Amino acid sequence: MFSDINIFAVIAASIVSFAVGAVWHGPLFGKKWMELADFTEQSIKSMPLTPKQAMTFGTISTLIGTYILAYFVVNLNIMGISEALMLGFLIWLGFIATTLANSVLWEGRSAKLYAFNLAYALVNIWVVAIILTVWQ
């Protein structure tokens, strides 16, 4: 069950996930993300967590999510990229899209930011699911 999970694949997929997030929210779409989230350079500098704290919690969060996805890959016997993409899509649709909808419904965030975050989450979960499937 848990012993069948390749911890090296989990670590590698987590590192790649972090890289995808850094590129997505940095050089690729960083300015658009800041605009949609209503962030400024100053507001980012005055966030409640220090960059070190945010990276620590982000690393833990990414490792947990990647490990749980690996659990599904192993226990559902996901084989091949198409099955990895389907698993990633179903988890994204059933859990991520529905949970992130709360940011629009209850927090007053914009639908554009929701769509932006959904696109990132889908790309990220697909990349992680593929790595975990190929490297079982």
Side-chain angles (χ1 to χ4, degrees):
M1 187 153 144
F2 286 105
S3 62
D4 295 333
I5 294 173
N6 182 340
I7 196 66
F8 297 108
V10 170
I11 293 168
S14 294
I15 292 168
V16 172
S17 175
F18 243 83
V20 168
V23 170
W24 188 277
H25 293 92
L28 204 55
F29 301 116
K31 289 182 182 182
K32 188 64 177 174
W33 170 66
M34 287 179 62
E35 174 191 324
L36 291 171
D38 201 25
F39 287 149
T40 63
E41 295 289 338
Q42 185 58 36
S43 67
I44 288 178
K45 289 178 184 173
S46 63
M47 293 280 191
L49 296 178
T50 66
K52 184 178 179 181
Q53 290 170 322
M55 291 295 283
T56 299
F57 289 124
T59 299
I60 293 166
S61 175
T62 301
L63 283 167
I64 291 169
T66 303
Y67 189 85
I68 297 302
L69 184 55
Y71 175 86
F72 285 117
V73 167
V74 167
N75 287 286
L76 294 174
N77 198 30
I78 301 298
M79 303 296 260
I81 292 174
S82 63
E83 288 185 15
L85 293 173
M86 181 55 74
L87 175 64
F89 176 77
L90 292 173
I91 290 173
W92 171 83
L93 182 63
F95 298 102
I96 297 170
T98 55
T99 300
L100 285 179
N102 290 325
S103 67
V104 175
L105 299 172
W106 306 110
E107 297 171 5
R109 298 285 187 154
S110 75
K112 287 182 181 180
L113 180 60
Y114 172 69
F116 178 90
N117 287 332
L118 278 183
Y120 161 69
L122 182 60
V123 168
N124 194 44
I125 201 166
W126 274 345
V127 169
V128 170
I130 289 170
I131 292 168
L132 294 172
T133 299
V134 171
W135 192 8
Q136 286 190 57

